[in-house]
Amino acid sequence: MAVNAKKVAVYVLVVFALYLIITDPGKATDYVQIVFEGISDAAQAIGDFMTWVVNGGKS
């Protein structure tokens, strides 16, 4: 049952993304930029945390 829900969710996201790209490419690029900035910020935070851990938890 969970696999079917996952497939449906992925299908809905793909259809939404295609709809958004076709109807408003400018807004689609804004969304992609927001997502990649979020991923970049998360990776930076993980890197900062790992550096803090390697340094023994000292600021």
Side-chain angles (χ1 to χ4, degrees):
M1 180 91 164
V3 174
N4 290 335
K6 184 178 179 181
K7 285 182 182 180
V8 169
V10 169
Y11 179 73
V12 168
L13 286 173
V14 168
V15 169
F16 176 72
L18 290 173
Y19 170 78
L20 187 64
I21 290 169
I22 292 168
T23 59
D24 194 359
K27 188 163 243 174
T29 58
D30 291 341
Y31 288 140
V32 169
Q33 183 178 3
I34 289 169
V35 168
F36 280 117
E37 284 178 1
I39 292 169
S40 175
D41 291 344
Q44 179 67 40
I46 291 170
D48 291 344
F49 174 73
M50 290 300 172
T51 301
W52 178 78
V53 168
V54 169
N55 289 334
K58 299 173 185 167
S59 296

